[in-house]
Amino acid sequence: FFFQDHVYELLNTIDACQCFFNIAVNFDFTKNYLELIITYISVIVMLSRVEDKKVLVGMYNCAHEMSNGSSDPAYPRLAQMFMEYEQPIKKLTEEFGPHTKGVTEALLSLQMLYPRRNLPAEQWRSAQLLSLLSAPASMLDPACCDTMACEYLSLEVMERWILLGYLLCHSSLNTNQSSQELWKMALRSGLYLTIIRDETINIHKITEDYFDGLKGYSKRIADIKECREHVIVNSGAMHRERRGFLRNALKELVKVLEDEPGLLGPKVLFVFMALSFSRDEVLWLVRYSENIPKTKTPEDYVDSYMAELLFYMERLRTLMTKYSRVVQRYHVQYLAQFDALLLNDTMQNMYVCPEEESVLMTSFVSTLSALTINVSRCLCCLMLQAYTSVSKAPLSLKEYPDLAKVMNMTQFHTKMLDNVQEMLHETSDLSILCFYPRVFEKMFSQSSEEVSMQRYLMSFPLACSHFNQTVHPLCPEETEAVEKRSLRLCVTFLEEIAKQTSSVILEICSEQCNLNDQLLPKHCGQTISAARNKKQKKQTPKKGDVQREKPGTESQRKDRAIVTNMDKLHLTLTELCSSFSGSSDFTVFNHIVTPAEFLISHLETRLTKIIVRMAHYNQTTQEIGRPSDLLAGIRAYTASLHTLSRYLSLDVTRLVKNVLLQQTQPLDSYGGQTITTLYTNWYLEGLLRQASSNLIVHCPAMHCFVNQTIENEQSFRAEEYSDISEMQALAELIGPYGLKFLSENLMWHITSQVGELKKLVIENMDVLVQMRANFDKPEAMANLQKRLPAGENVLKRMTIIGVILSFRAMAQDTLEDIMQKHCPYLMGPIESLRDMVSPDTDIKVTLTVFELASAAGLNCDIDPALVAALASMRTGHHNNIHCLATAINQLSAAMFTVESKNIEQHLKEFLLVRDLDALSLKRSCSFWYVIDLDIVEASPFLSQDMLESCFPYVLLRNAYREVYKNYIITLG
């Protein structure tokens, strides 16, 4: 009620002074007067809508009494006020009776402006409104008129003034025909008025209900019903046509100003008019989207092209901000060289000018001449208008219309110096959308379904940058809630745009991947066969047989009008990428938002899932795609992704590297399985497990694993997953990190086998110690040999270890090739460092160097991974027996390294014991001699001379002949 007291005190003072109001003469004075009245009405109406206001005030008074011992002195009056304003319109009408004259005079000053502004789109179009190209000869002329501030005054604001003003001062509707016509015209524009934010009132219903209780207002009630019918039938279509016109008008205006930003100086008025008109239409649609009347054309209240209008509004705002110095420089010169001189001449022609007004006007002219940029100019104008608008003023402004025109024009020009942002806020603020989240999201959804609107979708998250205008220092507690809602809407829109864009991009990539797959060698068999049959004139395929299209047929087109799926995808991609290129970043409540990062995030997430899906891993059937096929698919996707640089500035290289680097780890950033995990599991469970059962054998000559026999038909051909090309593809896919993970898993299996071997050694420790002490005594060795029942078990486990190590060696070899290909500058120094290691080098240094070399794919005398695996325990024949040499060499080197023993000495001792044992037992040793030779050839610690000292070379030659003969018999 303190606010109420101040309002009525000011209104009474104005009435006592008999102030003059005319929007075209004293614009600021009249506007502020009408805004004061409407603000007061809005406060009272909002207060009446609070359902529990009496309870809240009563609770406050009780709390005040408990705290201070007495009730709040203002409580009785506040309670009385609540009682009086139970029916706010009736009470307000009674209170505003004395102010009817001033309010009516102010409203009637709109009778020329409001009809001129409230025109249908056809008349706008015929007048070529907002067009800079309609009169090329006058393009550089400044846009001026007698009522410049009125040209961008909001139509919604004027309707609120008229309808609420005449609701309270309704007596003039029966006595003044001009008031009645103005009132009816405003009623025909719509059903609802905004009180504040998303609070609206049905002005037709409220006015009709109130007039229904008054005598002599039956004709006005009939007018209301007639206007309501007019609104329902015509309003939706009229506003739809306006929005259509404004989209094209703003598009033309933006294109011209982008090409010639210097025109912002003389034609800046056009910008504010365009923004104000567009904002009015946007807010009208928002207001009626949740209050659609019962009409035969509800589609008039849905606009799937709203994105375009919002986009060009944002472009105009951006241009004004970017070229504000251009606007300022132009108006600095215009004020000093034209406005100041014109105002001075106008003052000189005045026959009377009182001292106080003269001081104000002289100060204003001197300010313009000195080009002082501060708020004093605005205050001078407002004070001058107030002084010259009272009835007994010596200088009456209404008697000097030329002075009023000059003052209004000068006032507008001064705002262009330092109040451009305030003007943009006044004419284009869309912060009310924050309070219509459902409508805002619906508009976005409707626009996103139109392909032609997708390039403008970024205007929706950009509109969220306006929402900080809704908060006020007097109500800080709502700032956090508004900020959260703004960011939520902004992120929702950006996520959806990024989702749509990434879907189109990856669909194009998928199509390109399919086309690339058709060119792979595995699909050429049918083509070769057909060509061969044609050459040999064999029978052609029957008519019922489906002929496979050759790669490239999809690009053959007889008519360009035929649109393929790829054409549609590229068109959609072009539209969506245009939305990202419009704004690199913007700010929402002090949060810097970068739209491109949302797209990168979506692409990264979805590409990660696609790569895993392309591996075609089936855990149940243990099936998986060949590494080479997956690598070809990834390369096709990568090549397609790099074409994004044609559409927008996006770091595709960073995106691909992030995705592929995640695939070299066991889990991606979201905790999902990667191709490293999938291929590691498959090679261990699918290939090596069958190799340990002799269903698959290692073929050293072919450097791969092959299936053993046709009887045991496998679900896959081992060589198709383990030959050199496939292992190279695997190394390309999972890289050094992935191979390290694979190696760690292989070592885990080896350590489990070594653990079982260790148990056998412990069980037979006494016998083994005796054998070592009696290796030169054949009879004792024969007896001790019989006491070792687990020989076959040891042989089998050592073979399994050899198979695993052979596979790891294949992987290491391909890793070296890949490293040489991609990082040749690193391989030389690493190789040199490895070669510098000698038997005298400290073991820790040796393992560190070997670990580095192993990570680069280089072969080392001691396997550091195996050493690490065994240290943690310190706590191609048909049966893969040829892998035994690998197991013996690498296991012995690793174990003796862990135990800090001399590797060469113990290996020589092992070889001597092994061969003497074989000779002393006088059994068929052919295959053992071959294994011995393999051990020596694979070992960096043994030599051929050492082997020759154990048994003559002729025995070795005979052993090879015997093994080969047995192999031929087996094959036969």
Side-chain angles (χ1 to χ4, degrees):
F1 55 82
F2 292 113
F3 172 66
Q4 181 187 41
D5 291 344
H6 288 300
V7 169
Y8 281 121
E9 180 184 357
L10 182 56
L11 290 176
N12 291 332
T13 301
I14 290 174
D15 287 344
C17 294
Q18 299 180 3
C19 291
F20 158 74
F21 296 105
N22 190 320
I23 197 75
V25 177
N26 49 3
F27 175 84
D28 294 303
F29 191 52
T30 303
K31 178 186 176 184
N32 287 325
Y33 174 71
L34 291 172
E35 279 296 297
L36 173 67
I37 294 172
I38 300 306
T39 300
Y40 176 68
I41 296 172
S42 300
V43 170
I44 297 301
V45 172
M46 283 298 300
L47 185 62
S48 68
R49 290 189 172 189
V50 180
E51 296 179 356
D52 300 327
K53 55 181 177 292
K54 295 181 181 178
V55 176
L56 293 174
V57 173
M59 292 175 61
Y60 165 75
N61 186 60
C62 291
H64 189 280
E65 189 171 355
M66 293 172 63
S67 302
N68 303 294
S70 61
S71 61
D72 191 329
Y75 173 70
R77 187 180 173 194
L78 185 61
Q80 181 64 29
M81 179 182 177
F82 284 170
M83 296 294 292
E84 292 176 350
Y85 284 94
E86 283 292 333
Q87 295 181 337
I89 300 301
K90 181 179 180 181
K91 181 63 177 176
L92 286 170
T93 303
E94 295 173 357
E95 292 176 347
F96 268 82
H99 311 299
T100 299
K101 182 178 180 297
V103 174
T104 302
E105 182 183 21
L107 294 177
L108 283 175
S109 68
L110 299 172
Q111 63 181 339
M112 296 298 294
L113 174 62
Y114 179 70
R116 178 164 55 85
R117 286 287 309 279
N118 192 18
L119 295 174
E122 292 79 7
Q123 291 185 255
W124 283 359
R125 194 173 288 108
S126 61
Q128 294 185 319
L129 187 69
L130 304 177
S131 176
L132 296 180
L133 303 178
S134 59
S138 60
M139 187 175 291
L140 296 178
D141 295 345
C144 294
C145 64
D146 295 342
T147 55
M148 295 189 72
C150 297
E151 301 306 315
Y152 55 84
L153 182 60
S154 171
L155 191 65
E156 180 191 9
V157 169
M158 285 192 282
E159 290 171 354
R160 194 183 303 127
W161 290 348
I162 295 169
L163 294 176
L164 291 178
Y166 280 125
L167 175 61
L168 301 189
C169 304
H170 52 79
S171 59
S172 61
L173 295 177
N174 290 334
T175 59
N176 191 310
Q177 184 65 25
S178 297
S179 294
Q180 185 182 131
E181 292 299 325
L182 184 63
W183 174 70
K184 289 169 64 176
M185 182 178 292
L187 281 176
R188 293 191 188 101
S189 292
L191 300 175
Y192 295 91
L193 289 180
T194 299
I195 298 300
I196 184 174
R197 294 181 175 174
D198 58 339
E199 295 289 337
T200 60
I201 58 171
N202 188 328
I203 190 63
H204 286 245
K205 185 177 184 304
I206 290 177
T207 306
E208 183 179 356
D209 291 345
Y210 178 65
F211 284 180
D212 193 42
L214 301 177
K215 292 182 180 181
Y217 280 81
S218 58
K219 291 184 178 180
R220 302 292 78 80
I221 293 175
D223 291 338
I224 294 172
K225 292 180 179 179
E226 177 192 346
C227 292
R228 182 188 299 119
E229 290 300 320
H230 182 276
V231 169
I232 294 174
V233 175
N234 301 304
S235 184
M238 182 183 71
H239 285 277
R240 186 193 67 229
E241 291 297 324
R242 282 183 181 176
R243 292 192 301 273
F245 169 81
L246 287 171
R247 281 195 295 270
N248 294 325
L250 263 67
K251 181 178 182 180
E252 177 189 309
L253 189 61
V254 167
K255 296 299 181 183
V256 172
L257 294 177
E258 284 179 339
D259 187 56
E260 295 292 341
L263 291 175
L264 284 169
K267 302 299 183 182
V268 70
L269 180 61
F270 280 42
V271 175
F272 293 118
M273 290 171 61
L275 290 174
S276 180
F277 294 0
S278 301
R279 198 265 302 267
D280 282 338
E281 295 306 316
V282 171
L283 298 188
W284 184 92
L285 185 62
V286 169
R287 191 162 62 250
Y288 282 87
S289 292
E290 290 194 337
N291 300 286
I292 299 177
K294 294 181 180 179
T295 175
K296 296 180 180 179
T297 57
E299 62 274 9
D300 291 339
Y301 298 86
V302 176
D303 192 349
S304 57
Y305 298 93
M306 180 55 70
E308 185 177 6
L309 185 58
L310 293 176
F311 173 80
Y312 287 120
M313 288 180 68
E314 288 295 334
R315 287 300 303 151
L316 285 176
R317 287 172 58 93
T318 302
L319 287 172
M320 285 297 299
T321 302
K322 181 178 180 180
Y323 297 107
S324 59
R325 298 298 298 272
V326 173
V327 177
Q328 187 183 60
R329 190 181 307 116
Y330 177 87
H331 286 90
V332 161
Q333 298 176 9
Y334 197 94
L335 282 165
Q337 300 176 16
F338 183 81
D339 285 345
L341 300 178
L342 180 60
L343 183 59
N344 187 56
D345 291 342
T346 304
M347 291 172 55
Q348 297 299 327
N349 294 330
M350 294 171 57
Y351 56 84
V352 59
C353 188
E355 181 179 357
E356 193 167 357
E357 285 81 351
S358 177
V359 170
L360 281 174
M361 296 186 68
T362 303
S363 173
F364 189 72
V365 172
S366 62
T367 302
L368 293 180
S369 302
L371 301 178
T372 306
I373 302 176
N374 51 49
V375 297
S376 62
R377 294 190 304 270
C378 300
L379 294 176
C380 285
C381 280
L382 185 57
M383 290 171 61
L384 183 60
Q385 287 183 10
Y387 277 129
T388 57
S389 296
V390 297
S391 61
K392 296 182 179 180
L395 175 64
S396 179
L397 191 60
K398 63 181 177 181
E399 296 178 2
Y400 293 94
D402 292 338
L403 176 63
K405 295 175 185 178
V406 174
M407 290 293 294
N408 286 333
M409 180 177 64
T410 304
Q411 176 76 348
F412 174 78
H413 292 158
T414 56
K415 289 180 179 180
M416 295 301 100
L417 297 186
D418 50 4
N419 289 328
V420 171
Q421 290 302 319
E422 289 79 357
M423 288 285 290
L424 289 175
H425 173 65
E426 179 184 346
T427 56
S428 63
D429 175 44
L430 297 174
S431 58
I432 196 174
L433 292 171
C434 180
F435 304 100
Y436 288 91
R438 186 173 63 179
V439 175
F440 199 26
E441 290 174 343
K442 185 179 179 181
M443 285 181 175
F444 174 81
S445 177
Q446 292 165 349
S447 296
S448 63
E449 293 173 359
E450 287 286 339
V451 176
S452 60
M453 290 295 104
Q454 290 174 340
R455 64 169 52 227
Y456 307 119
L457 290 179
M458 198 58 65
S459 59
F460 285 91
L462 282 171
C464 297
S465 62
H466 298 212
F467 294 171
N468 63 335
Q469 302 291 338
T470 62
V471 299
H472 196 277
L474 295 179
C475 190
E477 59 270 13
E478 72 169 1
T479 301
E480 184 178 357
V482 174
E483 179 179 358
K484 287 181 179 179
R485 181 182 296 180
S486 304
L487 290 173
R488 183 189 67 80
L489 285 169
C490 180
V491 170
T492 299
F493 296 144
L494 288 173
E495 289 283 355
E496 184 60 30
I497 297 172
K499 180 181 177 181
Q500 292 185 26
T501 308
S502 63
S503 296
V504 174
I505 293 171
L506 295 176
E507 192 171 350
I508 292 175
C509 291
S510 178
E511 291 284 344
Q512 290 295 126
C513 184
N514 292 336
L515 295 175
N516 183 75
D517 184 72
Q518 296 177 16
L519 298 175
L520 294 179
K522 64 181 182 180
H523 296 299
C524 66
Q526 185 177 353
T527 305
I528 296 174
S529 177
R532 187 168 179 269
N533 291 339
K534 183 178 180 181
K535 185 177 181 180
Q536 295 180 358
K537 298 181 179 180
K538 290 188 177 182
Q539 185 178 1
T540 57
K542 298 179 181 179
K543 292 184 179 180
D545 295 343
V546 179
Q547 293 293 321
R548 178 174 174 268
E549 291 185 350
K550 294 182 180 180
T553 55
E554 72 282 345
S555 300
Q556 298 174 1
R557 204 173 331 194
K558 295 182 180 179
D559 187 358
R560 189 63 186 85
I562 299 175
V563 179
T564 64
N565 185 47
M566 286 292 280
D567 293 335
K568 296 177 182 177
L569 289 174
H570 279 286
L571 175 61
T572 305
L573 180 61
T574 302
E575 296 293 319
L576 288 168
C577 288
S578 296
S579 67
F580 283 95
S581 60
S583 178
S584 58
D585 59 75
F586 56 93
T587 304
V588 178
F589 272 97
N590 298 322
H591 296 266
I592 299 176
V593 180
T594 308
E597 290 300 320
F598 286 81
L599 177 58
I600 290 176
S601 177
H602 266 268
L603 285 173
E604 182 177 322
T605 302
R606 298 187 63 177
L607 187 59
T608 299
K609 295 178 180 178
I610 287 173
I611 290 176
V612 173
R613 197 161 55 243
M614 286 168 63
H616 303 297
Y617 179 62
N618 189 323
Q619 189 174 6
T620 305
T621 60
Q622 282 298 317
E623 294 178 351
I624 199 169
R626 295 167 60 187
S628 59
D629 291 345
L630 177 57
L631 181 61
I634 291 177
R635 285 174 173 169
Y637 265 79
T638 303
S640 297
L641 284 171
H642 277 287
T643 61
L644 270 178
S645 57
R646 304 172 187 171
Y647 300 94
L648 71 162
S649 179
L650 197 67
D651 194 350
V652 179
T653 302
R654 188 193 75 175
L655 165 67
V656 174
K657 283 184 176 180
N658 287 346
V659 172
L660 295 183
L661 187 60
Q662 288 185 46
Q663 294 302 311
T664 66
Q665 305 299 316
L667 299 174
D668 61 26
S669 58
Y670 298 95
Q673 287 189 328
T674 63
I675 57 175
T676 294
T677 303
L678 299 183
Y679 275 106
T680 297
N681 293 340
W682 186 85
Y683 275 104
L684 285 172
E685 301 298 328
L687 189 139
L688 294 179
R689 185 174 293 277
Q690 295 190 44
S692 64
S693 303
N694 298 326
L695 299 176
I696 294 174
V697 295
H698 176 246
C699 181
M702 296 175 62
H703 296 282
C704 67
F705 286 83
V706 296
N707 295 73
Q708 174 75 325
T709 57
I710 300 177
E711 290 81 10
N712 297 319
E713 189 67 32
Q714 305 297 315
S715 60
F716 64 93
R717 296 181 63 186
E719 59 269 25
E720 292 183 355
Y721 290 84
S722 60
D723 63 12
I724 294 176
S725 62
E726 295 300 327
M727 296 304 293
Q728 287 179 339
L730 180 65
E732 286 269 10
L733 288 171
I734 65 177
Y737 289 114
L739 287 175
K740 182 176 182 293
F741 177 75
L742 173 63
S743 177
E744 290 172 352
N745 280 267
L746 294 174
M747 292 303 122
W748 183 88
H749 284 269
I750 290 176
T751 54
S752 65
Q753 296 296 331
V754 172
E756 296 299 321
L757 290 173
K758 188 175 181 181
K759 292 178 183 178
L760 294 174
V761 171
I762 294 174
E763 292 175 0
N764 299 276
M765 182 63 72
D766 294 339
V767 178
L768 291 173
V769 171
Q770 294 180 43
M771 289 182 71
R772 183 180 182 186
N774 299 287
F775 69 89
D776 55 347
K777 300 175 182 179
E779 294 181 359
M781 287 292 289
N783 293 329
L784 292 172
Q785 182 72 28
K786 295 177 182 180
R787 295 170 56 185
L788 291 175
E792 292 297 327
N793 194 356
V794 172
L795 195 61
K796 180 180 179 180
R797 295 191 180 280
M798 289 294 292
T799 302
I800 292 173
I801 293 174
V803 169
I804 296 174
L805 290 173
S806 298
F807 175 78
R808 182 173 183 274
M810 292 165 54
Q812 284 293 106
D813 291 341
T814 55
L815 176 60
E816 182 181 1
D817 296 338
I818 298 302
M819 293 295 291
Q820 289 285 4
K821 176 182 178 182
H822 295 290
C823 306
Y825 53 89
L826 289 178
M827 298 301 289
I830 294 176
E831 194 169 357
S832 300
L833 191 63
R834 180 201 62 178
D835 295 340
M836 292 172 61
V837 176
S838 66
D840 298 331
T841 307
D842 181 75
I843 187 61
K844 292 184 178 179
V845 176
T846 300
L847 290 176
T848 302
V849 172
F850 282 176
E851 187 174 0
L852 176 62
S854 180
L858 297 175
N859 293 322
C860 303
D861 295 343
I862 302 172
D863 190 334
L866 190 56
V867 171
L870 294 178
S872 65
M873 295 178 60
R874 197 171 183 179
T875 40
H877 293 257
H878 296 308
N879 56 358
N880 283 312
I881 196 66
H882 55 282
C883 297
L884 194 62
T886 303
I888 292 172
N889 272 315
Q890 296 198 27
L891 268 180
S892 59
M895 293 177 70
F896 292 142
T897 299
V898 172
E899 298 294 334
S900 301
K901 299 293 183 65
N902 189 297
I903 302 173
E904 182 177 352
Q905 177 182 344
H906 283 78
L907 275 176
K908 288 180 179 178
E909 184 177 323
F910 165 78
L911 190 60
L912 183 61
V913 172
R914 234 279 325 128
D915 291 331
L916 288 175
D917 176 54
L919 289 172
S920 64
L921 293 178
K922 299 179 180 179
R923 60 184 178 183
S924 178
C925 303
S926 301
F927 111 135
W928 283 110
Y929 291 155
V930 173
I931 294 298
D932 289 342
L933 181 60
D934 289 345
I935 293 172
V936 172
E937 288 180 345
S939 174
F941 305 102
L942 298 174
S943 63
Q944 292 287 346
D945 294 339
M946 183 61 198
L947 182 62
E948 184 73 20
S949 67
C950 295
F951 56 93
Y953 185 77
V954 64
L955 295 178
L956 182 61
R957 187 177 60 220
N958 292 337
Y960 265 103
R961 186 185 298 113
E962 187 69 22
V963 169
Y964 179 73
K965 185 187 298 181
N966 292 336
Y967 178 69
I968 295 297
I969 294 172
T970 303
L971 289 180

